[in-house]
Amino acid sequence: MKLYAKTIPQTLPDWATTVTKGADLFEVEINDEHPNFQSLLEELATEIEPGTFGVKAEDLCSRLGIEMSNPSLHQLIEQAQTLISLIATHPDYEQLLEAGYQPDLNIADAQTALTYLQWELERNREPSD
C-alpha cells in the first residue's frame, strides 16, 4: 500500500518506507502485512457502517504524523491514466485476456472516461465568450 503525503516525520515505523521524495510530495510504501501495522489497524478500526469495520485514512495519518497530500483532480487523472497504462501492459492482465477474460467494460473504456473528464476540466478552465 502507498500513501502520498505533504509532510512526514523524520522517523517512520519499520513497516513504512519513503520511496520517493519530491519538493512537495512524499511517496510512502507501507508493508501492510507487517504484524505491527496489523496491530495498529486493529487498534484504529471503527465501524464505518453497520457490520463494516475499517480505518479512516485521517486517523492512520494522524497517528503516523503524516499530512496527506491533496492533489488536484488534474493530477489524479494523470496518475490514473499512468496506472491504467501499466495495467494494460502488465503480463498478468495480458494472461487474463489470453485465458478469455472479457469484461463488460475494458481498459480502453477506462482510458476514454478519463480523457473525457480531462477534456471537461480543460473546457471549464477556459474563459466564457
Side-chain angles (χ1 to χ4, degrees), residues 49-102:
E49 58 183 53
T52 304
F53 289 83
V55 174
K56 295 178 183 173
E58 69 183 69
D59 292 344
L60 177 61
C61 291
S62 175
R63 179 65 69 89
L64 295 175
I66 291 175
E67 181 184 351
M68 290 297 292
S69 172
N70 189 12
S72 70
L73 183 55
H74 183 75
Q75 290 171 313
L76 291 172
I77 292 169
E78 287 179 6
Q79 291 172 356
Q81 287 173 327
T82 299
L83 289 172
I84 289 172
S85 294
L86 292 172
I87 291 168
T89 58
H90 194 281
D92 291 345
Y93 179 72
E94 291 174 351
Q95 186 178 14
L96 285 172
L97 292 174
E98 290 171 9
Y101 175 64
Q102 296 179 339

Side-chain angles (χ1 to χ4, degrees), residues 19-33:
V19 178
T20 58
K21 198 184 314 186
D24 60 347
L25 186 69
F26 293 89
E27 180 181 8
V28 179
E29 180 78 36
I30 304 287
N31 176 358
D32 54 5
E33 294 180 11

